[in-house]
Amino acid sequence: MYEMIINVGQMREDTAAVQLGLAIAQQQQAFVAGVHIVPQIPSVTAIPDALAVLEAEEQTARDCAPWWSELRRRWNVEGSWEVFRGPYVPVLAARSRMADLLVGSAPGRHDLPVGWDNITRTLFAGGAPVLLVPETYEVRSAPERVLVAWNGSGESTKAIRAALPLLRKAEEIHLLDGWHETLPGFGPPTLAVGEWLARQGVTVRQRRSFDPGDDTGAHLLREADAMQADLLVMGAWGRPRISELVLGGATHHVLSHTHLPLLLAH
């Protein structure tokens, strides 16, 4: 059974991540776990008053189980409500490894710097592929028009594999192929991604080549706008992450400027 996690921070059903996550769960007939994490750092355990506050917050979150159950009932999906207390990223990463997809809110302008927020750090910590949804995104349905960016890297291939259930249900898929052949013996062999997608039951309507470069992130977003995409699938942190955070890169640019949901894998 397809399993999803929606990372629920605020108990609000109008959150874009919650809405899109439930729409996809309904489409995929998935089991969807609503997960809320009460962050706790080890030093807090020595402060009784702080522990009492965390325990009260945890109990308040657990009391939201009926709210989540009613929300699932309205969307007609199976699932659970799970509350954890502990270090945010390790806990979320560990739990998400038991799921096919982790859905959460994309980092906003007033959050931590791009790449240092909890959800993208969870991806880098070995968690499940993530679907990041901008808070301002208006959810109408599960993704129907999808742009897939592929360059032959392990990250981009993992992202496509994670997106396969969504791609099979999409109405229109465009593929941007950034793969470049190398001399025999000096690099990986040519990979027939189009044929592979066809075998997976995915029909690509339009396929174009592109040259990865310094403006790859901006190019991907322009292509997504041109096809009116409601999902961009891509690999994340294809080069050393600290290099992207300091110098910039495709992942950094897309995360900083996107207005549509992103499905990322590392």
Side-chain angles (χ1 to χ4, degrees):
M1 187 177 194
Y2 193 70
E3 295 221 6
M4 298 171 54
I5 290 174
I6 299 179
N7 185 43
V8 182
Q10 299 176 326
M11 317 303 179
R12 292 176 47 191
E13 63 181 86
D14 60 346
T15 302
V18 170
Q19 291 285 306
L20 185 57
L22 288 170
I24 293 173
Q26 183 185 66
Q27 179 198 65
Q28 299 294 326
Q29 298 182 319
F31 182 96
V32 58
V35 171
H36 179 85
I37 297 175
V38 179
Q40 176 177 316
I41 57 176
S43 59
V44 169
T45 59
I47 308 174
D49 288 347
L51 271 180
V53 171
L54 290 174
E55 289 170 359
E57 183 179 343
E58 181 179 355
Q59 186 56 53
T60 298
R62 293 190 183 280
D63 291 341
C64 290
W67 164 76
W68 183 253
S69 180
E70 171 60 19
L71 194 54
R72 287 192 299 101
R73 185 195 65 78
R74 296 208 305 266
W75 283 89
N76 193 30
V77 296
E78 296 183 52
S80 62
W81 176 248
E82 303 172 19
V83 178
F84 300 96
R85 178 152 53 105
Y88 203 110
V89 171
V91 168
L92 187 57
R95 176 61 183 88
S96 74
R97 292 180 195 125
M98 299 176 68
D100 297 290
L101 186 66
L102 169 62
V103 183
S105 296
R109 294 182 179 179
H110 303 294
D111 293 335
L112 293 169
V114 170
W116 293 110
D117 59 284
N118 286 326
I119 196 80
T120 46
R121 286 171 59 213
T122 297
L123 173 65
F124 195 70
V130 302
L131 176 62
L132 296 176
V133 188
E135 293 182 358
T136 56
Y137 181 73
E138 184 180 348
V139 178
R140 296 184 177 88
S141 65
E144 297 177 348
R145 302 172 63 83
V146 184
L147 177 64
V148 177
W150 185 78
N151 61 4
S153 68
E155 295 85 1
S156 63
T157 305
K158 288 178 184 177
I160 296 177
R161 288 189 65 87
L164 283 176
L166 282 67
L167 297 177
R168 294 186 184 111
K169 299 281 188 179
E171 293 182 1
E172 184 169 350
I173 299 166
H174 290 194
L175 173 66
L176 283 181
D177 189 347
W179 175 263
H180 290 276
E181 295 185 20
T182 58
L183 293 174
F186 289 88
T190 301
L191 301 175
V193 65
E195 290 83 348
W196 174 69
L197 283 170
R199 290 196 302 273
Q200 302 300 319
V202 175
T203 300
V204 175
R205 177 172 296 184
Q206 186 177 105
R207 177 177 179 176
R208 290 205 300 277
S209 298
F210 78 101
D211 293 319
D214 292 338
D215 66 342
T216 295
H219 179 69
L220 295 180
L221 292 177
R222 286 195 298 269
E223 290 286 344
D225 283 342
M227 71 167 291
Q228 297 181 318
D230 47 25
L231 178 65
L232 170 58
V233 176
M234 61 180 285
W237 315 117
R239 66 184 188 184
R241 181 167 174 255
I242 192 65
S243 174
E244 284 221 13
L245 293 174
V246 175
L247 302 176
T251 309
H252 187 278
H253 182 92
V254 170
L255 283 171
S256 300
H257 297 89
T258 188
H259 55 272
L260 78 160
L262 308 171
L263 197 158
L264 306 176
H266 175 71

